């Protein structure tokens, strides 16, 4: 409920304030003392003016400036390339499914399929691109393909629901597992690593050589070391200038060439 404020004009006593509350039938009204013999009552969007003779309402003009919301860019789904006329994975090898009725075909194809069924079919397509043979279901390449399908599904979900912390955690865990598998594959079989990255559309980035947690103490220590290093460099430069000024003219050129060589 919005708060109600009342402004009373004139030198009013406590009895006048109580009588005004009874007149406007709002016992929870907050009263403010002002001058003149008129009062204002504001409740939500309506504004009422009380005079000694009567009361009338004023409807405010609403010209609010609203901030424009930036529209999120539409993320293309990995399932968008699956045509709705494609048969489901369990009915693809059934010959009778090709000659079925139109109503039955709608049930057997991806037109009425759920998201999990489409994702399962997409995962099988990615596995078929990188697997060694038809019986390969547990190699490093196949596991990378399965994790890639899961990661892209998590990314699509988090694009719509960015506050879903649980799925974000699962996505980061899947990314770490895939990174370890790609690192092992790159160290053992580089040709297969390039083939997997090319077929699955993965951009491999090298991890940093050194990990360090940036604490406040470490940041302050690093800033102090940089500051001390710059001060020492300034002092050394001033000392070199003083030494060059004390040298005779013949030795100045040799000193300058030596200083530029050391730099």
């Amino acid at each position: 409920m919005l708060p109600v404020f009342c402004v009373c004009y004139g030198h009013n006593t406590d009895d006048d304030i109580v009588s005004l509350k009874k007149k406007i039938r709002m016992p929870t009204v907050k009263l403010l003392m002002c001058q003149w013999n008129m009062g204002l009552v504001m409740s939500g969007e309506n504004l009422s003016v009380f005079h000694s003779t009567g009361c009338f309402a004023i409807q405010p003009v609403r010209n609010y400036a609203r901030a424009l919301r930036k529209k999120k860019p539409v993320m293309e789904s990995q399932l968008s390339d699956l045509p709705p006329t494609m048969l489901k994975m369990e009915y693809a090898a059934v010959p009778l499914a090709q000659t079925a009725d139109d109503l039955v075909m709608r049930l057997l194809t991806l037109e009425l399929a759920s998201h999990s069924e489409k994702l399962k079919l997409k995962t099988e397509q990615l596995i078929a691109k990188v697997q060694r043979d038809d019986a390969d279901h547990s190699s490093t390449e196949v596991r990378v393909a399965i994790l890639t399908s899961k990661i892209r599904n998590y990314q699509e979900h988090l694009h719509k629901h960015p506050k879903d912390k649980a799925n974000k955690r699962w996505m980061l865990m899947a990314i770490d597992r895939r990174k370890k598998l790609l690192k092992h594959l790159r160290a053992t079989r580089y040709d297969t690593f390039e083939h997997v990255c090319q077929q699955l559309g993965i951009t491999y980035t090298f991890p940093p050589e050194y990990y360090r947690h940036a604490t406040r103490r470490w940041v302050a220590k690093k800033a102090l070391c940089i500051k001390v290093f710059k001060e020492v460099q300034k002092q050394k430069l001033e000392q070199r200038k003083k030494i060059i000024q004390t040298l005779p003219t013949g030795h100045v050129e040799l000193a300058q060439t030596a200083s530029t060589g050391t730099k």
Side-chain angles (χ1 to χ4, degrees), residues 5-20:
F5 297 95
C6 178
V7 183
C8 300
Y9 298 87
H11 299 284
N12 301 301
T13 60
D14 295 337
D15 297 334
D16 296 335
I17 294 172
V18 172
S19 62
L20 182 60

Side-chain angles (χ1 to χ4, degrees), residues 80-94:
S80 59
D81 59 343
L82 296 176
T85 57
M86 182 183 291
L87 290 172
K88 294 181 182 179
M89 189 174 59
E90 56 268 21
Y91 302 115
V94 178

